[in-house]
Amino acid sequence: MKINKVLTLLSCIILAGTVGEKTFAKEVVQTPEVIETSHDVTTLEDRIAKLEYNQEHPSFEFHGYGRSGLLLNANNDLKKGKVFNKNGVGRLGNESDTYIEAELVKNFYLDNGSWAKWHIMFAKGTDDYNDWNDGVALRQAYAEMGNLPIFSGAFKESVIWAGKRFYNRRDIHITDYYFTDYSGTGAGIDNIKVGEGMLDLGVIARDYNSYDTAGLIDNSSTEDGLNVVNLLARYDIGSWEIDLGAAFSSDNKNRTVDNEHGEYTKYDAADYGVQLGVFYNTPGYYWSGKGFSKIFGQVGYGLNAGDGLGTAGRGAENNLDDALSARLGTFGVYPINEKWDLFTTVVAQHNKNSKFNYNPTLLDPELDTYSVEVNGLKSTWVSAVARPVYKINENFELQFEAGYYYVTEEKDNGHKANGNLYKLTFAPTFKLNSNDFWARPEIRTFVTWAGWDNDYKKSFQPELNSYSSKNGVNVGVQAEVWF
């Protein structure tokens, strides 16, 4: 312990440059408990304590995420490959983009223990392979404060925040699927003690594009877009998490179809929504005692149905007022033994009256009467993915991934479409620590095969026409990091 203190003290003095080596050595020998400088008189213990405090409470933090690589279509002379619905069949060997996030955090601390943080995050994504790309997105810009002396009782551990931020995001890593993501701009308070659990409360607003992109919908929101305001609550108690949300929009009611000569058809799009999510963290991988797993169920109505389920109203501009959705899912990681890890997930969702499109169909040219096709009165999708990982040594592993996706949709004209998609990936991978499933960075090479039926390609992913009729092969390499 004494040796550690001396080494720490020496590092401190080298950085500060307040005294020379000989002078300091002499002072340590003569007065081991007190260091005198022209500025102050500080005990050895105080100087070490301050250094340790600074190490535990850095002034700045830097965090980030990034992925980049090459995805080539081996079926078509190694041209750029297409992604085979990564959210449905898994992301390994199935991503064509470069995406980065860079977050800076400025920390503030007071002697009374209170603290504050300012977060700012920039991000950039691109699907091309050029060496120069324009445009950077501001993903986060918010402040948070905690351990404030004015808080007591149920609010003693509370944290307040305001600004634009990621909020209550839960994802399934191997599919890159966020089943909850309430990100937006707003304010809130977290960690309110209620009974044996903790309550978070927030208000989040988001803007969406108006319907007027094709010049067919006439409403007051065409310039400002659709604004959705959300009231959100999360309660954590033991192994359980419960989300409750309500969404409101004054711009989404009484949409009208217009062919630039007059108003013809009105639709009552959703102007409010509600949602509920219940999430359970099992002890280990499905009660095995090792690893982890989560089971969840979600329901949403109106603005919170369809793509809006589990979000702050994303996709809300397309929902009808009676839209209804339900989602069930589970995922987890099981460390089978010292050599094998296994990540699995299954998710299913059913939607009713979830969307309508805004391309009107001309019924009578003489009267110029139009109708709007309701798109996807009923739809269901199911995703199942497994990723086994075999560790060769501490820097090299073999990753495998198998995925299956099924989707069916029934439209108002009685048309039904069903599709199946399958994917297999083999990815030899280099990393600094293969003993940790979550360790990054890693560089992986891969070969990916996917197969589908004609109905899937025709109705749900027509860009797969660049491959043969019912299957495709991609090859490539990708780097990924987070810190």
Side-chain angles (χ1 to χ4, degrees):
M1 182 62 183
K2 290 183 178 179
I3 294 176
N4 290 338
K5 287 186 176 182
V6 172
L7 291 175
T8 303
L9 181 60
L10 286 172
S11 300
C12 178
I13 291 173
I14 291 172
L15 291 174
T18 56
V19 294
E21 288 183 20
K22 295 181 180 180
T23 304
F24 172 71
K26 182 178 180 180
E27 289 180 355
V28 168
V29 172
Q30 294 178 350
T31 316
E33 296 301 321
V34 178
I35 302 172
E36 296 186 11
T37 71
S38 59
H39 301 290
D40 58 12
V41 177
T42 308
T43 66
L44 177 64
E45 285 74 12
D46 287 344
R47 192 61 78 86
I48 293 174
K50 184 175 182 180
L51 181 60
E52 292 175 344
Y53 179 88
N54 290 335
Q55 291 174 340
E56 296 175 1
H57 302 79
S59 177
F60 280 97
E61 301 174 39
F62 176 51
H63 306 287
Y65 170 80
R67 64 172 178 265
S68 184
L70 194 63
L71 183 76
L72 299 175
N73 176 1
N75 280 16
N76 195 12
D77 298 326
L78 296 180
K79 294 182 179 180
K80 188 173 183 178
K82 302 293 184 182
V83 171
F84 307 117
N85 186 2
K86 69 174 181 177
N87 298 131
V89 293
R91 69 193 296 183
L92 186 65
N94 198 25
E95 293 177 307
S96 62
D97 64 335
T98 292
Y99 178 74
I100 61 169
E101 294 175 347
E103 181 184 22
L104 294 172
V105 183
K106 170 60 179 175
N107 297 312
F108 305 85
Y109 302 100
L110 293 185
D111 292 339
N112 62 8
S114 59
W115 56 266
K117 296 175 181 285
W118 170 254
H119 301 254
I120 185 168
M121 175 187 283
F122 298 99
K124 171 64 181 177
T126 179
D127 281 319
D128 64 48
Y129 295 152
N130 297 330
D131 63 346
W132 181 266
N133 306 105
D134 297 326
V136 175
L138 176 64
R139 299 299 306 276
Q140 299 194 83
Y142 73 98
E144 59 178 333
M145 299 179 183
N147 204 28
L148 302 180
I150 61 172
F151 286 168
S152 62
F155 298 92
K156 183 174 180 58
E157 300 178 44
S158 293
V159 175
I160 58 175
W161 63 270
K164 177 184 176 71
R165 67 170 297 184
F166 291 164
Y167 190 63
N168 204 355
R169 303 204 312 169
R170 302 180 181 92
D171 79 308
I172 301 172
H173 170 66
I174 62 173
T175 56
D176 198 26
Y177 178 61
Y178 285 84
F179 54 98
T180 68
D181 182 0
Y182 307 105
S183 301
T185 303
I189 179 168
D190 298 341
N191 298 339
I192 305 170
K193 183 73 172 176
V194 177
E196 296 299 318
M198 288 291 188
L199 175 67
D200 299 345
L201 298 174
V203 55
I204 294 283
R206 293 195 63 156
D207 289 332
Y208 297 91
N209 293 331
S210 72
Y211 279 27
D212 204 37
T213 55
L216 300 169
I217 304 296
D218 178 25
N219 60 78
S220 61
S221 66
T222 53
E223 293 185 2
D224 298 330
L226 174 67
N227 180 261
V228 180
V229 177
N230 300 264
L231 303 179
L232 301 166
R234 168 175 172 165
Y235 184 64
D236 290 7
I237 180 168
S239 299
W240 294 89
E241 305 160 17
I242 302 172
D243 288 359
L244 182 63
F248 306 90
S249 173
S250 61
D251 295 330
N252 210 32
K253 200 73 171 174
N254 296 322
R255 295 287 184 176
T256 59
V257 180
D258 189 349
N259 74 337
E260 299 181 355
H261 297 291
E263 183 178 303
Y264 301 104
T265 305
K266 291 185 178 181
Y267 259 84
D268 285 340
D271 60 351
Y272 74 95
V274 292
Q275 62 179 313
L276 172 69
V278 179
F279 316 87
Y280 177 67
N281 301 288
T282 68
Y285 183 80
Y286 303 107
W287 295 273
S288 68
K290 297 194 302 181
F292 83 93
S293 60
K294 184 187 289 283
I295 302 170
F296 59 91
Q298 298 167 268
V299 292
Y301 178 82
L303 290 175
N304 292 125
D307 294 338
L309 181 58
T311 76
R314 183 177 59 216
E317 68 271 23
N318 295 332
N319 287 0
L320 297 176
D321 58 358
D322 61 349
L324 181 65
S325 295
R327 179 187 298 154
L328 291 173
T330 184
F331 65 98
V333 176
Y334 182 54
I336 300 173
N337 53 41
E338 292 183 356
K339 287 292 187 179
W340 285 96
D341 288 329
L342 175 65
F343 196 130
T344 60
T345 177
V346 179
V347 182
Q349 181 168 327
H350 178 71
N351 307 305
K352 181 180 179 182
N353 291 350
S354 61
K355 287 186 179 181
F356 70 92
N357 69 34
Y358 27 91
N359 295 315
T361 301
L362 186 61
L363 296 179
D364 190 332
E366 294 182 0
L367 298 177
D368 279 345
T369 57
Y370 283 73
S371 71
V372 174
E373 176 191 10
V374 177
N375 178 21
L377 277 176
K378 294 181 181 180
S379 64
T380 301
W381 59 263
V382 179
S383 168
V385 183
R387 184 189 293 186
V389 179
Y390 180 70
K391 309 161 191 173
I392 301 295
N393 53 49
E394 64 179 348
N395 300 127
F396 187 69
E397 65 187 19
L398 303 178
Q399 299 192 70
F400 310 84
E401 191 169 88
Y404 169 70
Y405 180 73
Y406 168 79
V407 59
T408 179
E409 185 175 76
E410 178 182 345
K411 297 185 179 182
D412 64 329
N413 58 9
H415 174 73
K416 294 182 179 180
N418 300 282
N420 295 275
L421 176 66
Y422 316 85
K423 192 211 76 165
L424 296 172
T425 295
F426 172 59
T429 302
F430 293 91
K431 60 195 303 181
L432 293 183
N433 180 17
S434 62
N435 293 316
D436 182 359
F437 180 90
W438 301 103
R440 296 295 186 276
E442 65 181 33
I443 297 175
R444 48 206 179 220
T445 58
F446 59 83
V447 56
T448 295
W449 172 90
W452 52 84
D453 50 44
N454 286 331
D455 285 343
Y456 177 84
K457 179 177 67 175
K458 180 180 178 180
S459 301
F460 304 104
Q461 205 171 351
E463 63 268 27
L464 296 181
N465 284 319
S466 58
Y467 295 88
S468 63
S469 60
K470 292 187 178 181
N471 62 78
V473 176
N474 288 337
V475 297
V477 59
Q478 186 185 54
E480 184 180 47
V481 65
W482 56 63
F483 52 92

